[in-house]
Amino acid sequence: MTYTLSIVTGTGFQFQEMDMPLIRKWWCLLLMERFKIDGYGQRFAFWTDEARSLLQGTFQPIFRVPRKRAITEEIPAHMQAVFDRTAEEKRLVDFIVQSPGAEQHLVDVLNGKTSKWYPPKSFRQVPVYLDSEGQQDNLFVFLKSVIHKTPTKLSFTDEVQFICGVLFPEAIIYGLAGLQNLSLQDAEQAFLSGPHYHYSEVEEFNRKIDKQLRKEGRASSWSQ
């Protein structure tokens, strides 16, 4: 019942196993109050002076709410690194989408401004840079809208390839330059280098690979 109440009120699960005795008391009191069985309270094991005070409104129950800091500190380092990078990627995409300068830069490229990324080459792999699929989608939708409302002198047959191979790097490089106060040349180098990963993420990745390899090794020995 408390899980359901937490969900419908949107408060989150702010209780633990040690809270259950108090929560059971609370639900018991609600039921007695709702069904007007105050006169038969002595039949309930939890009926006490404290319970009467709660029903009469002369005593306020005390609920322990964990601090957000404590919750954050419990998050593993590799997960916190992912959260931080996702937030940084959102900040980058929001800057590109909301900055008039970024859109004008893309319009200039579509109008024939020299770009090292045009024409897109099918064999050339362009760094994605963004790990978050949600942010990739947001940026793709924005770039597609820029194409559809801008007459262009550039020719291309595959719109998706053009967006991913030309406008994606142009937009991200411009965004990195604006957010990090870099020259376009330095921003391009940052783009090519890709996002930075926390050492804990590398350790977690290696741990999972090692675990998978050992699991496959055991499966192989069993099959033999």
Side-chain angles (χ1 to χ4, degrees):
M1 291 172 69
T2 306
Y3 274 111
T4 303
L5 179 64
S6 300
I7 292 172
V8 299
T9 57
T11 57
F13 304 137
Q14 299 179 344
F15 57 92
Q16 300 178 18
E17 185 177 356
M18 66 181 69
D19 299 315
M20 294 316 298
L22 181 59
I23 290 174
R24 292 188 186 107
K25 279 187 179 182
W26 184 63
W27 279 115
C28 182
L29 291 169
L30 284 182
L31 290 171
M32 287 189 292
E33 186 176 40
R34 173 67 180 82
F35 293 104
K36 307 298 183 183
I37 52 179
D38 179 77
Y40 300 93
Q42 65 272 17
R43 298 183 182 181
F44 291 84
F46 291 124
W47 186 252
T48 62
D49 291 336
E50 178 184 332
R52 289 191 183 89
S53 299
L54 283 169
L55 281 179
Q56 294 168 2
T58 58
F59 179 79
Q60 294 296 322
I62 299 175
F63 296 97
R64 179 171 48 78
V65 179
R67 295 182 179 179
K68 290 185 178 180
R69 178 184 296 179
I71 296 176
T72 303
E73 291 173 351
E74 294 174 0
I75 298 177
H78 66 277
M79 292 181 61
Q80 185 62 52
V82 173
F83 294 154
D84 293 342
R85 187 169 57 257
T86 300
E88 191 61 29
E89 289 182 358
K90 182 181 185 305
R91 182 167 168 258
L92 174 62
V93 172
D94 286 348
F95 175 82
I96 295 171
V97 171
Q98 299 169 9
S99 169
E103 182 170 349
Q104 185 58 52
H105 174 73
L106 296 170
V107 169
D108 291 343
V109 171
L110 290 171
N111 286 333
K113 180 181 178 181
T114 302
S115 170
K116 67 173 295 182
W117 305 98
Y118 181 81
K121 297 178 176 58
S122 58
F123 60 84
R124 180 174 63 188
Q125 184 175 3
V126 178
V128 177
Y129 193 84
L130 301 174
D131 280 346
S132 169
E133 292 184 2
Q135 296 308 321
Q136 292 176 25
D137 291 342
N138 291 340
L139 183 55
F140 184 88
V141 170
F142 168 71
L143 297 176
K144 187 174 181 178
S145 70
V146 173
I147 287 181
H148 288 179
K149 67 182 180 182
T150 306
T152 178
K153 300 178 180 179
L154 307 182
S155 61
F156 53 88
T157 56
D158 188 328
E159 183 180 80
V160 173
Q161 182 186 23
F162 178 76
I163 291 175
C164 295
V166 179
L167 297 189
F168 234 87
E170 286 287 354
I172 293 177
I173 290 170
Y174 186 92
L176 290 173
L179 280 180
Q180 301 181 16
N181 195 26
L182 300 173
S183 65
L184 287 176
Q185 183 177 359
D186 290 340
E188 179 183 322
Q189 188 57 47
F191 169 74
L192 293 174
S193 299
H196 297 288
Y197 294 93
H198 194 266
Y199 75 90
S200 61
E201 296 180 87
V202 179
E203 290 179 348
E204 178 66 12
F205 176 79
N206 291 336
R207 185 190 67 78
K208 289 182 177 179
I209 291 296
D210 184 60
K211 182 179 179 181
Q212 183 65 28
L213 289 175
R214 279 186 282 181
K215 180 179 179 181
E216 292 175 357
R218 288 196 298 269
S220 176
S221 62
W222 290 339
S223 62
Q224 295 174 1

